[in-house]
Each structure stands twice: as C-alpha cells, then as structure tokens.
Amino acid sequence: MSRIGKKPIQVPNDVQVSYEGSLLKAKGPKGELKLTIPEEIELKYENNEITFSRANDFKKVRAVHGLTRSLAFNVIEGVTNGFKKVLQIEGVGYRVEMKNKNLLLALGFSHPILVIPPEDITIETPSATQIHISGIDKQRVGQLAARIRSLRPPEPYKGKGIRYEGEYVRRKTGKSST
C-alpha cells in the first residue's frame, strides 16, 4: 500500500469540494481548481476528509495512487493558501523591474528580456534583485519560476545568475597558479 496514497486529506471548512465522474473540483477563497482522477483510483469524500483507494495492485495503479493523492492535496492547498516561489538575482548590473504586469530583466545580455506571466499568476519585485511569483496552481508557479531561472542559471565560478531563495550553488575555484 502506498504510504502517501493512504493518508487522508483534511478539507478546510471554507473550501467546497465536488466530485463528479473522474473530475475533482475545489473552490476556496483564492479561486477554483480542477483535477482529473484516474479511473483506477477510487475517491471518497466524507466528513471534510478525502481518502483514496485503488482497485487493484497492478504496477501502474500502485504508481498512480500516491501521485493522485499528492496532486489532490496540492489542489486543496492552492485554493486555500496558494503557492509562492522566490527568486534572487546575483551579479553586477543584473536587475529586475515591473513594466505594467510584465517582468523586465537585465541579465548582462545586450538586450533586456521581457517575461509575460500567465493571467492566473502574479509577479512582484520588492527589490531590484528579488522576484516573488505566486498563484494557486503549484505546477504553473513552479514552471514559470523555472523558466525565469533558465534565462541565466547560477554559474559555479562567481555565483552570478538567478537562483531560488535558499538554493546552494557549489562554487569552483577556477584556475590555480601552481
């Protein structure tokens, strides 16, 4: 039995959950999300608690059991609290600013880079070297953060580039004069 898949999900009182066919809908204070449940996984919603069970023990079904529970938990967490990623920019002359709702990045290239976020994701720049990305869908927030980070990933010699908050970049010494 999947250790993650058998854990129940507690649904807060301010979240409405409906399950029709293979579609799980959750509506909360931050918005509304939908999740398609595989047909091999059975969902029960009773007493503000969602539990998952599987129909058989085939390898594919066992693999999807814990994944489905994690995705459903992310849907409930997203409509309740939302998700947030923080990126930090390091390097001389590297900076970021908001231009209307778009993000303008100066990353040492000959041209500035304009990033247009999806409508359900908000971007804030509290300083010239920090980017806050927030939204209700964990996958979309993480995808946008990864896309921005890939524009100038941190390099190991000087540590310049875009990194996640708290990310450790292993530094190299460079050439030695021996």
Side-chain angles (χ1 to χ4, degrees):
M1 190 86 187
S2 170
R3 279 180 262 178
I4 293 174
K6 66 183 177 182
K7 283 183 176 179
I9 298 174
Q10 300 295 328
V11 179
N13 292 331
D14 56 349
V15 176
Q16 292 95 32
V17 174
S18 63
Y19 180 65
E20 299 141 10
S22 65
L23 193 67
L24 174 71
K25 293 181 184 179
K27 188 173 185 178
K30 295 271 185 179
E32 182 176 352
L33 286 175
K34 299 174 187 174
L35 175 69
T36 303
I37 306 290
E39 39 189 71
E40 300 92 6
I41 304 297
E42 299 167 14
L43 180 140
K44 290 182 185 168
Y45 177 57
E46 300 170 337
N47 302 330
N48 284 351
E49 192 173 84
I50 300 174
T51 55
F52 295 93
S53 59
R54 55 182 183 241
N56 52 46
D57 272 343
F58 293 136
K59 188 174 183 177
K60 182 182 178 197
V61 177
R62 286 195 322 258
V64 167
H65 187 201
L67 171 71
T68 305
R69 190 261 180 207
S70 294
L71 292 175
F73 179 78
N74 288 341
V75 165
I76 301 296
E77 185 71 21
V79 298
T80 306
N81 302 322
F83 294 100
K84 185 176 189 177
K85 291 269 188 184
V86 178
L87 297 173
Q88 293 179 331
I89 299 174
E90 289 188 24
V92 177
Y94 291 10
R95 64 184 182 280
V96 62
E97 65 181 85
M98 293 300 295
K99 192 168 197 173
N100 298 327
K101 291 194 173 201
N102 302 327
L103 188 68
L104 191 65
L105 296 143
L107 298 174
F109 298 117
S110 62
H111 58 282
I113 300 171
L114 186 69
V115 176
I116 302 170
E119 292 189 19
D120 59 339
I121 294 178
T122 58
I123 297 179
E124 300 168 349
T125 55
S127 70
T129 60
Q130 265 196 339
I131 305 169
H132 292 222
I133 304 167
S134 58
I136 62 172
D137 192 347
K138 185 176 187 178
Q139 193 273 332
R140 290 173 61 87
V141 169
Q143 183 69 40
L144 182 62
R147 197 176 96 211
I148 292 172
R149 183 183 180 272
S150 72
L151 296 172
R152 182 67 90 169
E155 54 96 17
Y157 296 102
K158 292 184 180 178
K160 296 172 15 175
I162 303 174
R163 65 179 76 187
Y164 295 111
E165 184 180 50
E167 178 183 3
Y168 174 73
V169 177
R170 191 166 172 210
R171 303 289 293 270
K172 294 182 179 179
T173 56
K175 288 186 177 181
S176 61
S177 59
T178 54

